Amino acid sequence: MTAFRRACGLSELEEDTPKRVELDGTPVSVVRTEGEVFAINDICSHANVSLSEGEVEDCQIECWLHGSAFDLRTGKPSGLPATRPVPVYPVKIEGDDVLVSLTQES
C-alpha cells in the first residue's frame, strides 16, 4: 500500500510556480500546471541545486543553473547538460490537501 503524506494545500499553489516542500527528509517540488499537480524530486540530477527555483513551461521544470529541463510527468531531462532523470512521485488531491507518496513512479 502506498503511503501518501500531505505536502501542501492546493490553494497554496500558484499556476506554473514550483513550491518546495520536504517530506521525510526528501526535498520535493510540487507544481500546479496545465490543470494537474505534479511532484518531482527537487534536486537536479546534473548539479546539486533546487529545481523549485526554476521556471515551469510546457509541463517541464527548468534548472536555473544550467538550463536542463525535466518532464514533470516522467522526470526525464529534455536536453543537456543533464542526462539522468529525477524521481517523480504519485500525487492525489483530497479536498484542499495535496498528498504525495515518496514511492517513485519513475
Side-chain angles (χ1 to χ4, degrees):
M1 183 171 190
T2 304
F4 283 86
R5 298 185 51 115
R6 185 181 190 279
C8 61
L10 187 60
S11 59
E12 297 173 47
L13 297 176
E14 295 180 37
E15 186 77 12
D16 297 329
T17 302
K19 179 175 182 65
R20 181 185 168 105
V21 298
E22 196 164 301
L23 299 173
D24 296 330
T26 300
V28 176
S29 183
V30 181
V31 180
R32 183 180 199 169
T33 188
E34 299 182 8
E36 294 185 66
V37 178
F38 300 93
I40 189 167
N41 191 284
D42 193 47
I43 304 301
C44 177
S45 63
H46 169 256
N48 189 24
V49 297
S50 176
L51 291 175
S52 63
E53 295 177 30
E55 309 241 338
V56 173
E57 187 175 344
D58 297 328
C59 212
Q60 296 186 77
I61 189 167
E62 183 181 60
C63 177
W64 61 269
L65 187 60
H66 296 116
S68 288
F70 298 87
D71 189 301
L72 291 167
R73 298 168 292 240
T74 65
K76 293 179 181 172
S78 62
L80 298 173
T83 58
R84 294 184 333 255
V86 294
V88 296
Y89 307 109
V91 173
K92 66 181 181 179
I93 309 298
E94 289 184 358
D96 187 54
D97 292 332
V98 176
L99 305 174
V100 174
S101 172
L102 292 182
T103 302
Q104 292 183 23
E105 288 188 342
S106 67

